[in-house]
Amino acid sequence: MERIPILKLGPFLLVSIQVDMHDRLVLTLQDDLTERIVQTRARGVLIDISGLDMVDSFIGRMLGNIAGMARILDAETVVIGMQPSVAITLVELGLSLPGIRTALNIDRGMDLLRASLEERTEDFSAGNQAG
Amino acid sequence: MERIPILKLGPFLLVSIQVDMHDRLVLTLQDDLTERIVQTRARGVLIDISGLDMVDSFIGRMLGNIAGMARILDAETVVIGMQPSVAITLVELGLSLPGIRTALNIDRGMDLLRASLEERTEDFSAGNQAG
């Protein structure tokens, strides 16, 4: 099972990371996810890390890269389900997960994505009116 | 990571099975899931098996058991994301997954759970009126 499933959840995509990530698996996930964003025209990506006991700089970089790729494809990324111990370790390690937004669970993550979607639509309309 | 994450999705719970299941992991999942159903008062469980390339009688029995336990706790179970090849193999092996309902993806699974929830509420009201 060398592939992380990507689930469609309304206008968003959901990825639940449960296994240890290694280089090739990360590349496969990035390929699959960007392809699915384009294919489904998803406007947001939820990445669940509740199954991870540890987030190191490798995972942090992966999350940042995924968020960056999704953003270029016009989809926002929210990381959900971080365990309290993971948050403690991240701060102790000095890792601040730049460019990554977090939410407690799927429901709150979806609220965040919906709000961001409305904001982007408004900005776009305002931009059009100004131009 | 000897634990399968359980995600809350509105009034339902979502479990994404990605790793090879063995006896202890199945027991842990059953414990965790039944506890979460009670704790969150969830009315439905979505089990995503899109990450599985194979569903054998062991997995089939596990899904049936989970659905049975959830039902006793007043939550319906829907299995989602079955790969076409898995459906072919199941029929070829003569496994019909008794007592398990399936749906194409999360969105359709949630529709099914919502419909079943309304039906149960109506049955309950009708029963009350009859009594």
Coordinates of all heavy atoms in Angstrom, one line a residue, chain A residues 57-96:
Chain A
S57 N 11.4 18.1 11.0 CA 11.6 19.1 10.0 C 11.2 18.5 8.6 O 10.8 19.2 7.7 CB 13.0 19.6 10.0 OG 13.9 18.6 9.8
F58 N 11.4 17.2 8.4 CA 11.1 16.6 7.1 C 9.6 16.7 6.9 O 9.2 17.1 5.8 CB 11.6 15.1 7.1 CG 11.2 14.4 5.9 CD1 11.9 14.6 4.7 CD2 10.2 13.4 5.9 CE1 11.5 13.9 3.5 CE2 9.9 12.7 4.8 CZ 10.5 12.9 3.6
I59 N 8.8 16.3 7.9 CA 7.4 16.3 7.7 C 6.9 17.8 7.6 O 6.0 18.1 6.8 CB 6.7 15.7 8.9 CG1 7.0 14.2 9.0 CG2 5.2 15.8 8.9 CD1 6.4 13.3 8.0
G60 N 7.5 18.7 8.4 CA 7.2 20.1 8.4 C 7.4 20.7 7.0 O 6.6 21.4 6.4
R61 N 8.5 20.3 6.4 CA 8.9 20.8 5.0 C 7.9 20.2 4.0 O 7.4 20.9 3.1 CB 10.3 20.4 4.6 CG 10.9 21.2 3.6 CD 12.4 21.1 3.5 NE 12.8 19.7 3.5 CZ 13.6 19.1 4.5 NH1 14.0 19.8 5.5 NH2 14.0 17.9 4.4
M62 N 7.5 18.9 4.2 CA 6.6 18.3 3.3 C 5.2 19.0 3.3 O 4.6 19.4 2.3 CB 6.3 16.8 3.7 CG 5.3 16.2 2.8 SD 4.7 14.6 3.6 CE 3.5 15.1 4.8
L63 N 4.7 19.3 4.5 CA 3.5 20.0 4.7 C 3.5 21.4 4.0 O 2.6 21.8 3.4 CB 3.1 20.2 6.2 CG 2.8 18.8 6.9 CD1 2.6 19.1 8.4 CD2 1.6 18.1 6.4
G64 N 4.7 22.1 4.3 CA 4.8 23.4 3.7 C 4.8 23.4 2.1 O 4.2 24.2 1.5
N65 N 5.5 22.3 1.6 CA 5.6 22.2 0.1 C 4.2 21.9 -0.4 O 3.8 22.5 -1.5 CB 6.5 21.0 -0.3 CG 8.0 21.4 -0.1 OD1 8.3 22.6 0.1 ND2 8.8 20.4 -0.1
I66 N 3.5 21.0 0.2 CA 2.1 20.7 -0.3 C 1.2 21.9 -0.2 O 0.5 22.2 -1.2 CB 1.5 19.5 0.6 CG1 2.2 18.2 0.3 CG2 0.0 19.4 0.4 CD1 1.7 17.0 1.1
A67 N 1.3 22.7 0.9 CA 0.5 23.9 1.0 C 0.9 24.9 -0.2 O 0.0 25.5 -0.8 CB 0.7 24.6 2.3
G68 N 2.2 25.0 -0.5 CA 2.6 25.9 -1.5 C 2.1 25.5 -2.9 O 1.7 26.3 -3.7
M69 N 2.2 24.2 -3.2 CA 1.7 23.6 -4.5 C 0.2 23.9 -4.6 O -0.3 24.3 -5.7 CB 2.0 22.1 -4.6 CG 3.5 21.8 -4.7 SD 3.8 20.1 -4.5 CE 5.6 20.1 -4.2
A70 N -0.5 23.6 -3.5 CA -2.0 23.7 -3.6 C -2.3 25.2 -3.8 O -3.2 25.5 -4.6 CB -2.6 23.2 -2.2
R71 N -1.6 26.1 -3.2 CA -1.9 27.5 -3.3 C -1.8 28.0 -4.7 O -2.6 28.7 -5.2 CB -1.0 28.3 -2.3 CG -1.5 29.7 -2.1 CD -0.7 30.4 -1.0 NE -0.8 29.7 0.3 CZ 0.2 29.3 1.0 NH1 1.5 29.4 0.6 NH2 0.0 28.7 2.2
I72 N -0.7 27.5 -5.4 CA -0.5 27.9 -6.8 C -1.7 27.4 -7.6 O -2.1 28.0 -8.6 CB 0.8 27.3 -7.3 CG1 2.0 27.9 -6.5 CG2 1.0 27.6 -8.8 CD1 3.3 27.4 -6.9
L73 N -2.3 26.2 -7.2 CA -3.4 25.7 -7.9 C -4.7 26.2 -7.4 O -5.8 25.7 -7.6 CB -3.4 24.1 -7.9 CG -2.2 23.5 -8.5 CD1 -2.1 22.0 -8.2 CD2 -2.3 23.6 -10.1
D74 N -4.6 27.3 -6.6 CA -5.8 28.0 -6.1 C -6.6 27.2 -5.0 O -7.8 27.2 -5.0 CB -6.7 28.4 -7.2 CG -7.7 29.5 -6.8 OD1 -7.5 30.2 -5.8 OD2 -8.8 29.6 -7.4
A75 N -5.9 26.4 -4.2 CA -6.5 25.7 -3.1 C -5.8 26.0 -1.8 O -4.5 26.0 -1.8 CB -6.5 24.2 -3.4
E76 N -6.5 26.3 -0.8 CA -5.9 26.5 0.5 C -5.7 25.2 1.3 O -6.4 24.3 1.1 CB -6.8 27.4 1.4 CG -6.8 28.9 0.9 CD -5.4 29.6 1.1 OE1 -4.9 29.4 2.2 OE2 -4.9 30.2 0.2
T77 N -4.7 25.2 2.1 CA -4.4 24.0 2.9 C -4.5 24.3 4.4 O -4.1 25.3 4.9 CB -3.0 23.5 2.6 OG1 -2.9 23.2 1.2 CG2 -2.7 22.2 3.4
V78 N -5.2 23.3 5.1 CA -5.3 23.4 6.5 C -4.9 22.1 7.1 O -5.3 21.0 6.7 CB -6.7 23.8 7.0 CG1 -6.8 23.7 8.5 CG2 -7.1 25.1 6.5
V79 N -4.0 22.1 8.1 CA -3.5 20.9 8.8 C -4.4 20.7 10.0 O -4.6 21.6 10.8 CB -2.0 21.0 9.1 CG1 -1.6 19.9 10.1 CG2 -1.1 21.0 7.9
I80 N -5.0 19.5 10.1 CA -5.9 19.3 11.3 C -5.4 18.1 12.1 O -4.6 17.3 11.7 CB -7.3 19.0 10.8 CG1 -7.3 17.8 9.8 CG2 -7.9 20.2 10.1 CD1 -8.7 17.3 9.5
G81 N -6.0 18.1 13.4 CA -5.8 16.9 14.2 C -4.4 16.8 14.9 O -4.0 15.7 15.3
M82 N -3.7 17.9 15.0 CA -2.4 17.8 15.6 C -2.5 17.4 17.1 O -3.3 18.0 17.8 CB -1.6 19.2 15.5 CG -0.2 19.0 16.0 SD 0.7 20.6 15.9 CE 0.8 20.9 14.2
Q83 N -1.7 16.4 17.5 CA -1.8 16.0 18.9 C -1.0 17.1 19.8 O -0.1 17.7 19.3 CB -1.1 14.7 19.1 CG -1.9 13.5 18.5 CD -1.2 12.2 18.7 OE1 -0.4 12.1 19.6 NE2 -1.6 11.2 18.0
P84 N -1.5 17.2 21.0 CA -0.9 18.2 21.9 C 0.6 18.0 22.0 O 1.4 19.0 22.0 CB -1.6 17.9 23.3 CG -2.9 17.3 22.9 CD -2.7 16.6 21.6
S85 N 1.1 16.8 22.1 CA 2.5 16.5 22.3 C 3.3 16.9 21.1 O 4.4 17.3 21.2 CB 2.7 15.0 22.6 OG 2.2 14.2 21.5
V86 N 2.6 16.8 19.9 CA 3.3 17.3 18.7 C 3.5 18.8 18.7 O 4.6 19.3 18.3 CB 2.5 16.8 17.4 CG1 3.1 17.5 16.2 CG2 2.5 15.3 17.3
A87 N 2.5 19.5 19.1 CA 2.6 21.0 19.2 C 3.8 21.4 20.2 O 4.6 22.2 19.9 CB 1.3 21.6 19.7
I88 N 3.9 20.7 21.3 CA 4.9 20.9 22.3 C 6.3 20.7 21.7 O 7.2 21.5 21.7 CB 4.7 20.0 23.5 CG1 3.4 20.4 24.3 CG2 5.9 20.1 24.5 CD1 3.0 19.5 25.4
T89 N 6.4 19.5 21.0 CA 7.7 19.2 20.4 C 8.1 20.2 19.3 O 9.3 20.6 19.2 CB 7.7 17.8 19.8 OG1 7.1 16.9 20.7 CG2 9.1 17.3 19.4
L90 N 7.1 20.6 18.5 CA 7.4 21.6 17.4 C 8.0 22.9 18.0 O 9.0 23.4 17.5 CB 6.1 21.9 16.6 CG 5.7 20.9 15.6 CD1 4.4 21.3 15.0 CD2 6.8 20.8 14.5
V91 N 7.4 23.4 19.1 CA 7.9 24.6 19.6 C 9.2 24.4 20.3 O 10.1 25.2 20.1 CB 6.9 25.2 20.7 CG1 7.4 26.3 21.4 CG2 5.6 25.6 20.0
E92 N 9.4 23.3 21.0 CA 10.7 23.0 21.6 C 11.8 22.9 20.5 O 13.0 23.3 20.8 CB 10.6 21.7 22.4 CG 9.9 22.0 23.8 CD 9.7 20.7 24.6 OE1 10.0 19.6 24.0 OE2 9.3 20.8 25.7
L93 N 11.5 22.3 19.4 CA 12.5 22.2 18.3 C 12.7 23.5 17.5 O 13.5 23.6 16.7 CB 12.0 21.1 17.3 CG 12.0 19.6 17.7 CD1 11.5 18.7 16.7 CD2 13.5 19.2 18.1
G94 N 11.8 24.5 17.8 CA 11.9 25.8 17.1 C 11.3 25.7 15.7 O 11.6 26.5 14.9
L95 N 10.5 24.7 15.5 CA 9.8 24.6 14.1 C 8.5 25.3 14.2 O 7.6 25.0 15.1 CB 9.6 23.2 13.8 CG 10.8 22.3 13.5 CD1 10.4 20.8 13.4 CD2 11.6 22.8 12.3
S96 N 8.3 26.3 13.3 CA 7.0 27.1 13.4 C 6.0 26.8 12.3 O 5.0 27.4 12.2 CB 7.3 28.6 13.5 OG 8.0 28.9 12.3

